[in-house]
Amino acid sequence: MNQVQQSILQEAVVEGRVINNGVDTTVFSPSDKNTARKILNLPVDAQILVFVAAHHTRNHPFKDFDTIEKALEQLQLDRKNSRPLIFLALGAAGAGIKENDFEMRFLPYVRDRNELASIYQAADLYIHAAKADTFPNSILEALACGTPVIATGVGGIPEQIEDGVTGYVTQPADPDDMANAISRVLNDEDLMKSMGKCAVESVNKRFKLSDQVDAYLSWYYVCVSKVRDQG
């Protein structure tokens, strides 16, 4: 709404309201992390990070995969535990990387929503770096599954994440800031669990699809009523 108020549209606005995008919580919801990993053949003892783009993850014009790669490099240098670290990049093709206790896997985009939910549920963190973005569904889906989110503060992302509560909002194009935020959560199991719980509560309070539908219907009824009154 702030952007509308600052745009050339403002003079034509009679009345406005913000209706958040919604996520289907009947599909994207918390589940046992170890069960999800077993379903996906992922190691139970690993720390798992996920990033999702519909296509061309590495070369997407608005995503910032370069920042993620540099953040992961920094993370490996500063890691304080010996648990394997796996990064899953959905929407990309490639052979991936596997060295010592770190692995990067490039996977095709998953269109089956139940399978996609299992991937979020299996992850410790959802990572999202972008040069520009709108209100990405992937962040809402991850939060709904109880997965804390580390994402760059562009577009509507700061409205999705409660910084320090459901994840962290980092500076754009700042690998060190992203690496530090990731490390902070991975090295604090209690913080990760607290953020995951708060993420689910936040989605249920602000971003349920059913609430979005109700909000649109309510707004339509208001608009129709105003038109009738003026007629």
Side-chain angles (χ1 to χ4, degrees):
M1 185 60 70
N2 289 338
Q3 291 179 328
V4 171
Q5 292 171 345
Q6 296 169 12
S7 76
I8 60 174
L9 298 176
Q10 176 57 28
E11 292 185 5
V13 175
V14 176
E15 183 179 341
R17 65 178 65 179
V18 174
I19 299 177
N20 289 319
N21 285 0
V23 60
D24 188 350
T25 54
T26 65
V27 176
F28 297 99
S29 60
S31 180
D32 181 71
K33 186 181 297 183
N34 290 342
T35 299
R37 292 185 177 191
K38 290 175 181 177
I39 291 172
L40 298 168
N41 292 316
L42 293 170
V44 172
D45 64 332
Q47 293 183 312
I48 298 178
L49 313 177
V50 173
F51 174 54
V52 174
H55 54 83
H56 305 306
T57 298
R58 296 185 70 104
N59 303 310
H60 196 288
F62 301 119
K63 307 304 180 187
D64 187 4
F65 195 76
D66 184 59
T67 288
I68 290 180
E69 284 191 303
K70 290 178 180 177
L72 292 175
E73 290 173 4
Q74 185 62 41
L75 187 65
Q76 292 175 70
L77 295 175
D78 298 338
R79 274 171 62 76
K80 299 178 181 179
N81 63 65
S82 57
R83 292 174 62 186
L85 178 66
I86 298 176
F87 174 67
L88 305 177
L90 275 68
I97 301 169
K98 188 172 184 179
E99 51 186 31
N100 300 322
D101 60 350
F102 174 73
E103 183 176 1
M104 181 184 294
R105 301 183 187 179
F106 296 114
L107 306 171
Y109 180 70
V110 175
R111 298 194 177 278
D112 182 278
R113 297 198 305 159
N114 290 299
E115 184 179 351
L116 184 57
S118 293
I119 293 172
Y120 292 125
Q121 293 160 356
D124 291 299
L125 288 173
Y126 177 70
I127 313 300
H128 191 99
K131 301 169 186 175
D133 220 320
T134 52
F135 206 80
N137 288 336
S138 57
I139 288 180
L140 296 185
E141 291 166 354
L143 292 172
C145 289
T147 304
V149 176
I150 310 294
T152 48
V154 298
I157 291 174
E159 299 175 39
Q160 298 177 301
I161 301 169
E162 295 179 62
D163 191 37
V165 179
T166 64
Y168 287 111
V169 178
T170 63
Q171 293 298 313
D174 191 335
D176 290 339
D177 195 24
M178 177 163 280
N180 289 336
I182 295 171
S183 180
R184 200 175 306 148
V185 181
L186 288 184
N187 292 322
D188 190 334
E189 191 70 27
D190 290 337
L191 177 62
M192 185 187 299
K193 289 180 179 178
S194 173
M195 284 186 162
K197 180 181 178 182
C198 290
V200 175
E201 293 173 352
S202 179
V203 167
N204 285 332
K205 182 179 179 180
R206 302 192 296 153
F207 300 121
K208 290 178 66 174
L209 183 62
S210 56
D211 291 340
Q212 180 190 11
V213 171
D214 290 343
Y216 270 116
L217 289 176
S218 175
W219 183 229
Y220 289 149
Y221 291 140
V222 168
C223 292
V224 169
S225 177
K226 287 180 178 294
V227 170
R228 287 175 176 169
D229 292 343
Q230 292 174 359

